Amino acid sequence: TAGITQAPTSQILAAGRSMTLRCTQDMRHNAMYWYRQDLGLGLRLIHYSNTAGTTGKGEVPDGYSVSRANTDDFPLTLASAVPSQTSVYFCASSSPGSYGYTFGSGTRLTVV
Amino acid sequence: AQSVTQLDSQVPVFEEAPVELRCNYSSSVSVYLFWYVQYPNQGLQLLLKYLSGSTLVKGINGFEAEFNKSQTSFHLRKPSVHISDTAEYFCAVSSGGGADGLTFGKGTHLIIQP
């Protein structure tokens, strides 16, 4: 089934450790996004990429980095995790002009 | 810049009653509007979207929404709700063809009471 695969599904991470959340899509969509979801705050954009080789900052980029080496993969890295990064992370993709967004199933991250 | 306001964080409704979930947006350019549903411990599922044309948009599961440009609103409605509609509902706006992603509201928790 075409779509977005996120890994891991959930993770408990010690504060100060680094971690990479993986996101892979098989729809050849140009644009990809990372959101975090927090209770009462909805989903907020962390970083985005309009096409392979380019990235941009969203609303809440601090403490996160991304790369887009190819069309299919868009990993999100936490260099030194802090408890405030405890959240559910969603990866999404879209094809410009289609106005359709596909979301992954999410990664639940707990930083302790 | 664009923003979305969902006026109610929580809406309790009795089963088989009608419901309206309110959404207002602000944007300096033309917008595209979306409603997503999130069932407990799941990802987001698209209910419906407005891109252009008819202001009344019909979606899945019997939901519909009406785009009102003068009131900058995109309220979601269902004439008769079921227990299975219990979920979090998110209104979202995009100003382009995906380049900058979606801007979401904070969500409305729809609680269906038997």
Side-chain angles (χ1 to χ4, degrees), chain B:
Chain B
Q2 57 199 24
S3 66
V4 176
T5 301
Q6 291 185 244
L7 298 167
D8 306 296
S9 61
Q10 191 168 286
V11 173
V13 182
F14 286 106
E15 194 172 15
E16 298 184 4
V19 69
E20 178 179 83
L21 305 184
R22 297 180 292 171
C23 173
N24 287 88
Y25 68 92
S26 66
S27 176
S28 57
V29 297
S30 297
V31 296
Y32 308 98
L33 295 156
F34 305 78
W35 274 100
Y36 284 86
V37 60
Q38 185 180 36
Y39 299 104
N41 300 312
Q42 295 189 25
L44 279 79
Q45 180 180 3
L46 179 67
L47 275 177
L48 49 80
K49 61 184 176 184
Y50 171 79
L51 304 180
S52 65
S54 173
T55 57
L56 182 63
V57 181
K58 294 189 181 297
I60 62 171
N61 300 341
F63 284 93
E64 63 180 33
E66 185 157 19
F67 171 59
N68 188 318
K69 188 174 182 180
S70 63
Q71 297 186 7
T72 60
S73 68
F74 191 54
H75 300 334
L76 181 70
R77 302 185 183 99
K78 185 170 183 178
S80 176
V81 297
H82 303 285
I83 289 288
S84 59
D85 292 322
T86 296
E88 192 82 15
Y89 291 80
F90 293 98
C91 183
V93 62
S94 171
S95 60
D100 297 327
L102 293 165
T103 298
F104 285 87
K106 295 183 178 181
T108 297
H109 187 198
L110 179 61
I111 302 169
I112 310 299
Q113 302 169 329

Side-chain angles (χ1 to χ4, degrees), chain A residues 8-66:
Chain A
T9 302
S10 65
Q11 182 74 45
I12 299 174
L13 184 68
R17 300 295 295 270
S18 66
M19 180 176 180
T20 295
L21 280 62
R22 299 185 299 278
C23 174
T24 300
Q25 54 113 348
D26 60 3
M27 298 168 285
R28 309 300 294 173
H29 283 172
N30 291 329
M32 298 187 74
Y33 316 89
W34 274 106
Y35 291 89
R36 60 177 288 172
Q37 182 182 16
D38 302 290
L39 189 63
L41 297 178
L43 284 84
R44 294 177 293 169
L45 184 65
I46 305 171
H47 285 287
Y48 66 92
S49 169
N50 291 335
T51 188
T54 68
T55 62
K57 294 181 179 180
E59 180 184 354
V60 288
D62 294 344
Y64 306 94
S65 63
V66 292

